Amino acid sequence: MEHEVFVPVPAESLRAVLTDPDRVARCVPGLQRDAAGAGAGEDLAGRLRLRVGGHTITYRGGLRIVERDGAITYEGEGTEARGKGAVEVSLTVVLTPAAEGTGLGFTGALTATGRLAEEPGEDREVARVRLLDAFVEAAAGLAADAVEAEGTTGTGTGVGTDADAGGAEITGADDADGTEGTDGAVGTSGADGTDPASGADGAELFGDEVFREAPAPVELPSPQPAAEAAHARRTMIGRSAEEVDHAPPRGRYAPVPAPEPSGAGATLRWVAPAAALALASAVIVGRALRRRR
């Protein structure tokens, strides 16, 4: 497989990114490094999720980074996390410095068995181009950040050097005039050697301003009793939480009152027991009369 791309980044900065295992891992999309680290003879180890067509294949393996004759070679192998397929890849990157950036030329070969070998060739080609473009874009971004950081550091160092040089020149001029070279002594003594901060009688400077009277304490309002505070709270925000919890619901959720009984129903409620009582009394009286006869 072959792939060429140009990035507006210096070649040396880009080479530093492409040969650093930590930054290479950040540039590979879908790569998750193992927490235990790489094994013997490996610079990277982890799991790679590869999207091919409408399927996602996860490989587990390792990668080695080798520099040969100015070129960078990535050699790796892996096996399917859910399957028996395997893959081996060898990818060589050649950096070509240019006036405004760097050209990258990729050449390599890939051998696969299992699910990747069963995918159509067009889908594998699309996945390869997408993976390499994303890798180059991320590497170029890291290299550009490194160049910007170096430029900022260099600018800060230059400013500090100029300031030191200026300070040295000023000190030298003071020495030439016969005055004291220290910052604390320049302009702090009078002609007679006395301290201008003190008066004729030796009074200290700013004595009245330093020892000022303490400000009067702020009087805070006294706390209100619990009953008055509760009343004020209800006055300000309406009913309290307890009143709201125990108040009956209103509106559409209010309970429907039971219908009031009509006059006929109320009369029947009293007539029926009275009739039963009268009938029972008649039966008892009749039996008593029979016994007397």
Side-chain angles (χ1 to χ4, degrees):
M1 55 183 175
E2 297 180 357
H3 190 76
E4 294 182 357
V5 67
F6 177 84
V7 293
V9 178
E12 294 302 325
S13 301
L14 191 59
R15 180 181 296 275
V17 173
L18 296 179
T19 54
D20 184 9
D22 294 335
R23 288 188 282 185
V24 168
R26 295 169 56 185
C27 297
V28 179
L31 176 63
Q32 181 180 359
R33 301 184 66 178
D34 288 342
E42 296 178 344
D43 296 315
L44 285 174
R47 300 163 64 93
L48 175 64
R49 292 171 58 90
L50 184 62
R51 183 73 175 180
V52 182
H55 304 87
T56 300
I57 307 174
T58 303
Y59 290 98
R60 180 182 301 167
L63 181 71
R64 294 179 297 276
I65 304 175
V66 183
E67 292 189 70
R68 297 171 183 163
D69 301 330
I72 306 171
T73 302
Y74 301 100
E75 299 176 352
E77 58 274 339
T79 57
E80 294 181 5
R82 298 181 180 179
K84 299 181 180 180
V87 62
E88 295 182 1
V89 62
S90 177
L91 183 66
T92 302
V93 186
V94 178
L95 305 181
T96 305
E100 299 180 356
T102 307
L104 290 85
F106 293 86
T107 57
L110 183 143
T111 304
T113 59
R115 297 177 57 187
L116 183 59
E118 298 173 358
E119 295 291 336
E122 297 180 357
D123 294 343
R124 292 199 302 267
E125 180 69 13
V126 171
R128 177 186 67 83
V129 174
R130 182 173 62 247
L131 181 63
L132 290 178
D133 287 344
F135 174 77
V136 172
E137 182 179 358
L142 293 179
D145 294 341
V147 171
E148 184 178 356
E150 292 178 0
T152 304
T153 304
T155 303
T157 304
V159 172
T161 303
D162 296 341
D164 296 340
E169 292 177 0
I170 295 173
T171 304
D174 293 339
D175 294 341
D177 295 339
T179 59
E180 297 181 2
T182 59
D183 296 340
V186 175
T188 59
S189 299
D192 55 353
T194 60
D195 189 358
S198 302
D201 55 351
E204 295 182 357
L205 184 63
F206 308 128
D208 296 338
E209 296 185 4
V210 174
F211 299 98
R212 294 179 179 177
E213 295 183 358
V218 180
E219 297 183 359
L220 300 177
S222 58
Q224 298 180 352
E228 296 181 3
H231 175 71
R233 189 162 52 248
R234 284 195 297 269
T235 304
M236 290 186 294
I237 64 174
R239 296 182 300 170
S240 63
E242 293 80 3
E243 294 174 349
V244 173
D245 293 340
H246 295 84
R250 300 179 180 180
R252 58 182 298 182
Y253 300 102
V256 179
E260 297 181 359
S262 59
T267 304
L268 292 176
R269 289 182 180 180
W270 293 103
V271 169
L277 180 59
L279 181 59
S281 301
V283 171
I284 294 173
V285 172
R287 291 182 178 179
L289 295 176
R290 291 178 181 179
R291 289 179 181 178
R292 288 182 179 181
R293 291 178 182 178

Coordinates of all heavy atoms in Angstrom, one line a residue, residues 21-91:
P21 N 6.7 6.7 21.3 CA 5.6 5.8 21.4 C 4.4 6.4 22.1 O 3.3 6.1 21.7 CB 6.2 4.7 22.3 CG 7.7 4.8 22.1 CD 8.0 6.2 21.9
D22 N 4.6 7.3 23.1 CA 3.4 7.9 23.8 C 2.6 8.8 22.8 O 1.4 8.7 22.8 CB 3.9 8.7 25.0 CG 4.5 7.8 26.0 OD1 4.2 6.6 26.1 OD2 5.4 8.3 26.8
R23 N 3.3 9.6 22.0 CA 2.6 10.5 21.1 C 2.1 9.7 19.9 O 1.0 10.1 19.3 CB 3.5 11.6 20.7 CG 3.7 12.6 21.8 CD 4.4 13.9 21.3 NE 5.9 13.6 21.2 CZ 6.8 14.6 20.9 NH1 6.3 15.8 20.6 NH2 8.1 14.3 20.8
V24 N 2.7 8.6 19.5 CA 2.2 7.8 18.4 C 0.9 7.2 18.8 O -0.1 7.1 18.1 CB 3.2 6.7 18.0 CG1 2.6 5.7 17.1 CG2 4.4 7.4 17.3
A25 N 0.8 6.7 20.1 CA -0.4 6.1 20.6 C -1.6 7.1 20.6 O -2.7 6.8 20.3 CB -0.2 5.6 22.0
R26 N -1.3 8.4 20.8 CA -2.3 9.4 20.8 C -2.8 9.7 19.3 O -3.9 10.3 19.1 CB -1.8 10.7 21.4 CG -1.5 10.6 22.9 CD -0.8 11.8 23.5 NE -1.5 13.0 23.2 CZ -1.0 14.2 23.5 NH1 0.2 14.3 24.0 NH2 -1.7 15.3 23.3
C27 N -2.0 9.4 18.4 CA -2.3 9.7 17.0 C -3.1 8.6 16.3 O -3.7 8.9 15.3 CB -1.0 10.0 16.2 SG -0.1 11.4 16.7
V28 N -3.1 7.4 16.8 CA -3.8 6.3 16.2 C -5.2 6.3 16.7 O -5.5 6.0 17.8 CB -3.1 5.0 16.5 CG1 -3.8 3.8 15.8 CG2 -1.6 5.0 16.0
P29 N -6.2 6.5 15.8 CA -7.6 6.5 16.2 C -8.1 5.1 16.5 O -7.8 4.1 15.8 CB -8.4 7.1 15.0 CG -7.5 6.8 13.8 CD -6.1 6.9 14.3
G30 N -8.8 5.0 17.7 CA -9.3 3.7 18.1 C -8.3 2.8 18.8 O -8.7 1.7 19.1
L31 N -7.2 3.4 19.2 CA -6.2 2.6 20.0 C -6.3 2.8 21.4 O -6.4 3.9 21.9 CB -4.8 2.9 19.5 CG -3.6 2.3 20.3 CD1 -3.7 0.8 20.1 CD2 -2.3 2.8 19.8
Q32 N -6.3 1.7 22.2 CA -6.4 1.8 23.7 C -5.2 1.0 24.2 O -5.1 -0.2 24.0 CB -7.7 1.2 24.2 CG -7.9 1.3 25.7 CD -9.2 0.7 26.2 OE1 -10.0 0.2 25.4 NE2 -9.4 0.7 27.5
R33 N -4.3 1.7 24.9 CA -3.1 1.1 25.4 C -3.4 0.2 26.6 O -4.3 0.5 27.4 CB -2.1 2.1 25.7 CG -1.7 3.0 24.6 CD -0.6 4.0 25.0 NE 0.7 3.3 25.2 CZ 1.8 3.9 25.6 NH1 1.8 5.2 25.6 NH2 2.9 3.2 25.8
D34 N -2.6 -0.9 26.8 CA -2.7 -1.7 27.9 C -2.2 -1.0 29.1 O -1.1 -0.4 29.1 CB -2.0 -3.0 27.7 CG -2.7 -3.9 26.7 OD1 -3.9 -3.7 26.4 OD2 -2.0 -4.8 26.1
A35 N -2.8 -1.2 30.3 CA -2.4 -0.6 31.5 C -1.0 -1.2 32.0 O -0.2 -0.6 32.6 CB -3.4 -0.7 32.6
A36 N -0.8 -2.5 31.7 CA 0.4 -3.2 32.1 C 1.6 -2.7 31.3 O 2.7 -3.0 31.7 CB 0.2 -4.7 32.0
G37 N 1.4 -2.1 30.2 CA 2.5 -1.6 29.4 C 2.9 -2.6 28.3 O 2.3 -3.7 28.2
A38 N 3.9 -2.3 27.5 CA 4.3 -3.1 26.3 C 5.2 -4.3 26.8 O 5.9 -4.2 27.9 CB 5.0 -2.3 25.3
G39 N 5.1 -5.4 26.1 CA 6.0 -6.5 26.4 C 7.4 -6.3 25.9 O 7.8 -5.3 25.4
A40 N 8.2 -7.4 26.0 CA 9.5 -7.4 25.5 C 9.6 -7.2 24.0 O 8.9 -8.0 23.3 CB 10.2 -8.7 26.0
G41 N 10.4 -6.3 23.5 CA 10.6 -6.1 22.1 C 9.4 -5.3 21.5 O 9.4 -5.2 20.3
E42 N 8.6 -4.7 22.3 CA 7.5 -3.9 21.8 C 7.5 -2.5 22.4 O 7.9 -2.3 23.5 CB 6.1 -4.6 22.1 CG 5.9 -5.9 21.5 CD 4.6 -6.5 21.9 OE1 4.0 -6.1 22.9 OE2 4.1 -7.5 21.2
D43 N 7.1 -1.5 21.6 CA 7.0 -0.2 22.0 C 5.6 0.2 22.4 O 5.4 1.1 23.2 CB 7.5 0.8 21.0 CG 9.0 0.6 20.6 OD1 9.8 0.4 21.6 OD2 9.4 0.5 19.4
L44 N 4.6 -0.5 21.8 CA 3.2 -0.2 22.1 C 2.5 -1.5 22.2 O 2.8 -2.5 21.5 CB 2.6 0.7 21.1 CG 2.9 2.2 21.0 CD1 2.3 2.8 19.8 CD2 2.4 2.8 22.3
A45 N 1.5 -1.6 23.1 CA 0.7 -2.8 23.2 C -0.7 -2.3 23.7 O -0.8 -1.4 24.5 CB 1.2 -3.8 24.3
G46 N -1.7 -3.0 23.1 CA -3.1 -2.6 23.4 C -4.1 -3.2 22.5 O -3.8 -4.2 21.8
R47 N -5.3 -2.5 22.4 CA -6.4 -3.0 21.5 C -6.7 -1.9 20.5 O -6.7 -0.7 20.8 CB -7.6 -3.3 22.4 CG -7.4 -4.3 23.5 CD -8.4 -4.3 24.5 NE -9.8 -4.6 24.0 CZ -10.3 -5.8 24.0 NH1 -9.7 -6.8 24.5 NH2 -11.5 -6.0 23.5
L48 N -6.9 -2.3 19.3 CA -7.2 -1.4 18.2 C -8.6 -1.7 17.6 O -8.8 -2.9 17.2 CB -6.2 -1.5 17.1 CG -6.4 -0.6 15.8 CD1 -6.4 0.8 16.2 CD2 -5.4 -0.9 14.8
R49 N -9.5 -0.8 17.6 CA -10.8 -0.9 17.0 C -10.8 -0.4 15.6 O -10.5 0.8 15.4 CB -11.9 -0.2 17.8 CG -12.1 -0.8 19.2 CD -13.0 0.1 20.1 NE -14.3 0.3 19.4 CZ -15.4 -0.5 19.6 NH1 -15.3 -1.5 20.3 NH2 -16.5 -0.2 18.9
L50 N -11.0 -1.2 14.6 CA -10.9 -0.9 13.2 C -12.3 -1.0 12.6 O -12.9 -2.0 12.6 CB -9.9 -1.8 12.5 CG -9.6 -1.5 11.0 CD1 -9.0 -0.1 10.9 CD2 -8.7 -2.5 10.4
R51 N -12.7 0.1 11.9 CA -14.0 0.2 11.3 C -13.8 -0.1 9.8 O -13.1 0.7 9.1 CB -14.6 1.6 11.5 CG -16.0 1.7 10.9 CD -17.0 1.0 11.7 NE -18.4 1.2 11.2 CZ -19.5 0.6 11.7 NH1 -19.4 -0.2 12.8 NH2 -20.7 0.9 11.2
V52 N -14.3 -1.2 9.3 CA -14.2 -1.5 7.9 C -15.6 -1.8 7.4 O -16.3 -2.7 7.8 CB -13.4 -2.8 7.7 CG1 -13.2 -3.1 6.2 CG2 -12.0 -2.6 8.3
G53 N -16.0 -1.0 6.4 CA -17.4 -1.1 5.9 C -18.4 -0.8 7.0 O -18.4 0.2 7.6
G54 N -19.3 -1.8 7.2 CA -20.3 -1.7 8.2 C -20.0 -2.5 9.4 O -20.9 -2.7 10.2
H55 N -18.8 -2.9 9.6 CA -18.4 -3.8 10.7 C -17.2 -3.2 11.5 O -16.4 -2.4 10.9 CB -18.0 -5.2 10.2 CG -19.0 -5.9 9.4 ND1 -19.1 -5.7 8.0 CD2 -20.0 -6.7 9.7 CE1 -20.1 -6.4 7.5 NE2 -20.7 -7.0 8.5
T56 N -17.1 -3.5 12.7 CA -16.0 -3.1 13.6 C -15.3 -4.3 14.1 O -15.8 -5.3 14.6 CB -16.6 -2.3 14.8 OG1 -17.3 -1.2 14.3 CG2 -15.4 -1.9 15.7
I57 N -14.0 -4.3 13.8 CA -13.1 -5.4 14.2 C -12.1 -4.9 15.2 O -11.5 -3.9 15.1 CB -12.3 -6.0 13.0 CG1 -13.3 -6.3 11.8 CG2 -11.5 -7.2 13.3 CD1 -12.6 -6.7 10.5
T58 N -12.0 -5.7 16.3 CA -11.1 -5.3 17.4 C -9.9 -6.3 17.4 O -10.1 -7.5 17.5 CB -11.8 -5.4 18.8 OG1 -12.9 -4.5 18.7 CG2 -10.8 -4.9 19.9
Y59 N -8.7 -5.7 17.4 CA -7.4 -6.5 17.4 C -6.7 -6.2 18.7 O -6.7 -5.1 19.2 CB -6.6 -6.2 16.2 CG -7.1 -6.6 14.9 CD1 -7.8 -5.8 14.0 CD2 -6.9 -8.0 14.5 CE1 -8.3 -6.2 12.8 CE2 -7.4 -8.4 13.2 CZ -8.1 -7.5 12.4 OH -8.6 -8.0 11.2
R60 N -6.0 -7.2 19.2 CA -5.2 -7.1 20.3 C -3.7 -7.5 20.0 O -3.5 -8.6 19.4 CB -5.7 -8.0 21.5 CG -4.9 -8.0 22.7 CD -5.5 -8.9 23.8 NE -6.8 -8.6 24.1 CZ -7.7 -9.4 24.7 NH1 -7.2 -10.6 25.2 NH2 -8.9 -9.0 25.0
G61 N -2.8 -6.6 20.2 CA -1.4 -7.0 19.8 C -0.4 -5.9 20.2 O -0.7 -5.1 21.1
G62 N 0.7 -5.8 19.5 CA 1.8 -4.9 19.8 C 2.4 -4.3 18.6 O 2.1 -4.7 17.4
L63 N 3.2 -3.2 18.8 CA 3.8 -2.5 17.7 C 5.2 -2.1 18.1 O 5.5 -1.7 19.2 CB 3.0 -1.2 17.4 CG 3.5 -0.3 16.3 CD1 3.2 -1.0 14.9 CD2 2.8 1.1 16.3
R64 N 6.1 -2.1 17.1 CA 7.5 -1.7 17.3 C 7.8 -0.6 16.3 O 7.3 -0.5 15.2 CB 8.5 -2.9 16.9 CG 8.4 -4.1 17.9 CD 9.3 -5.2 17.5 NE 8.9 -5.7 16.2 CZ 8.0 -6.6 16.0 NH1 7.3 -7.1 17.0 NH2 7.7 -7.1 14.7
I65 N 8.6 0.4 16.8 CA 9.1 1.5 16.0 C 10.6 1.4 15.8 O 11.3 1.4 16.7 CB 8.7 2.9 16.8 CG1 7.2 2.9 17.1 CG2 9.1 4.1 15.9 CD1 6.8 4.1 17.9
V66 N 10.9 1.4 14.5 CA 12.3 1.2 14.1 C 12.7 2.3 13.1 O 12.0 2.6 12.2 CB 12.5 -0.2 13.5 CG1 14.0 -0.4 13.1 CG2 12.0 -1.3 14.4
E67 N 13.9 2.9 13.3 CA 14.5 3.9 12.4 C 15.6 3.3 11.6 O 16.6 2.8 12.2 CB 15.0 5.1 13.2 CG 13.9 5.9 13.9 CD 14.4 7.2 14.5 OE1 14.8 8.1 13.7 OE2 14.5 7.3 15.7
R68 N 15.4 3.3 10.3 CA 16.4 2.8 9.4 C 16.7 3.7 8.3 O 15.8 4.1 7.5 CB 15.9 1.4 8.8 CG 15.7 0.3 9.8 CD 15.0 -0.8 9.2 NE 14.7 -1.9 10.2 CZ 13.8 -2.9 9.9 NH1 13.2 -2.9 8.8 NH2 13.6 -3.8 10.9
D69 N 18.0 4.2 8.2 CA 18.4 5.0 7.1 C 17.5 6.2 6.9 O 17.2 6.6 5.8 CB 18.5 4.2 5.8 CG 19.4 3.0 5.8 OD1 20.4 3.1 6.6 OD2 19.1 2.0 5.1
G70 N 17.2 6.9 8.0 CA 16.4 8.1 7.9 C 14.9 7.8 7.8 O 14.1 8.8 7.9
A71 N 14.5 6.6 7.6 CA 13.0 6.3 7.5 C 12.6 5.7 8.8 O 13.3 5.1 9.6 CB 12.8 5.3 6.3
I72 N 11.3 5.8 9.0 CA 10.6 5.3 10.2 C 9.7 4.1 9.8 O 8.9 4.2 9.0 CB 9.8 6.3 10.9 CG1 10.7 7.6 11.2 CG2 9.2 5.8 12.2 CD1 9.8 8.8 11.7
T73 N 9.9 2.9 10.5 CA 9.2 1.7 10.1 C 8.4 1.3 11.4 O 8.9 1.2 12.5 CB 10.1 0.6 9.7 OG1 10.9 1.0 8.5 CG2 9.3 -0.6 9.3
Y74 N 7.1 1.0 11.1 CA 6.2 0.5 12.1 C 5.9 -1.0 11.8 O 5.4 -1.3 10.7 CB 4.9 1.3 12.2 CG 5.1 2.7 12.5 CD1 5.0 3.7 11.5 CD2 5.3 3.2 13.8 CE1 5.2 5.0 11.7 CE2 5.5 4.5 14.1 CZ 5.4 5.4 13.0 OH 5.6 6.8 13.3
E75 N 6.3 -1.9 12.7 CA 6.0 -3.3 12.5 C 5.1 -3.8 13.7 O 5.4 -3.6 14.8 CB 7.3 -4.1 12.6 CG 8.3 -3.7 11.5 CD 9.6 -4.4 11.6 OE1 9.8 -5.1 12.6 OE2 10.5 -4.3 10.7
G76 N 4.0 -4.4 13.3 CA 3.1 -4.8 14.3 C 2.3 -6.1 13.9 O 2.3 -6.4 12.7
E77 N 1.8 -6.7 14.9 CA 0.9 -7.9 14.6 C -0.1 -8.0 15.7 O 0.1 -7.5 16.8 CB 1.7 -9.2 14.6 CG 2.5 -9.5 15.9 CD 3.9 -8.8 15.9 OE1 4.4 -8.5 14.8 OE2 4.4 -8.6 17.0
G78 N -1.2 -8.6 15.4 CA -2.3 -8.7 16.4 C -3.3 -9.8 16.0 O -3.3 -10.3 14.8
T79 N -4.1 -10.1 16.9 CA -5.2 -11.2 16.7 C -6.5 -10.6 17.1 O -6.6 -9.7 17.8 CB -4.9 -12.4 17.6 OG1 -4.8 -12.0 19.0 CG2 -3.5 -13.0 17.2
E80 N -7.5 -11.2 16.5 CA -8.9 -10.7 16.7 C -9.3 -11.0 18.2 O -9.0 -12.1 18.7 CB -9.9 -11.4 15.8 CG -9.7 -11.0 14.3 CD -10.7 -11.7 13.4 OE1 -11.6 -12.4 14.0 OE2 -10.6 -11.5 12.2
A81 N -9.9 -10.0 18.8 CA -10.4 -10.2 20.2 C -11.5 -11.2 20.3 O -11.7 -11.9 21.2 CB -10.8 -8.9 20.8
R82 N -12.3 -11.3 19.2 CA -13.5 -12.2 19.1 C -13.4 -13.0 17.8 O -14.1 -12.7 16.8 CB -14.8 -11.5 19.2 CG -15.0 -10.8 20.5 CD -16.4 -10.1 20.6 NE -16.6 -9.4 21.8 CZ -17.7 -8.7 22.1 NH1 -18.7 -8.6 21.2 NH2 -17.8 -8.1 23.3
G83 N -12.5 -13.9 17.7 CA -12.3 -14.6 16.5 C -10.9 -15.2 16.4 O -10.1 -15.1 17.4
K84 N -10.7 -15.9 15.3 CA -9.4 -16.6 15.1 C -8.5 -15.9 14.1 O -7.5 -16.4 13.8 CB -9.6 -18.0 14.7 CG -10.4 -18.9 15.8 CD -10.6 -20.3 15.3 CE -11.4 -21.1 16.3 NZ -11.5 -22.5 15.9
G85 N -9.0 -14.8 13.6 CA -8.2 -14.1 12.6 C -7.0 -13.4 13.2 O -6.9 -13.1 14.3
A86 N -6.0 -13.1 12.3 CA -4.8 -12.4 12.7 C -4.4 -11.4 11.6 O -4.8 -11.6 10.4 CB -3.7 -13.4 13.0
V87 N -3.5 -10.5 12.0 CA -3.0 -9.5 11.0 C -1.6 -9.1 11.3 O -1.2 -9.1 12.5 CB -3.9 -8.2 11.1 CG1 -3.9 -7.6 12.4 CG2 -3.5 -7.2 10.0
E88 N -0.8 -8.9 10.2 CA 0.6 -8.5 10.4 C 0.7 -7.3 9.4 O 0.3 -7.3 8.3 CB 1.6 -9.6 10.0 CG 1.5 -10.8 11.0 CD 2.6 -11.8 10.6 OE1 3.3 -11.6 9.6 OE2 2.6 -12.8 11.3
V89 N 1.4 -6.2 9.9 CA 1.6 -5.0 9.1 C 3.0 -4.5 9.2 O 3.6 -4.6 10.3 CB 0.6 -3.9 9.5 CG1 0.8 -3.5 11.0 CG2 0.7 -2.7 8.6
S90 N 3.5 -4.0 8.1 CA 4.8 -3.3 8.1 C 4.6 -2.0 7.3 O 4.4 -2.1 6.1 CB 5.9 -4.2 7.5 OG 7.1 -3.5 7.4
L91 N 4.8 -0.9 7.9 CA 4.6 0.4 7.3 C 5.8 1.3 7.5 O 6.3 1.5 8.6 CB 3.4 1.1 8.0 CG 2.9 2.4 7.4 CD1 2.4 2.3 6.0 CD2 1.8 3.1 8.3

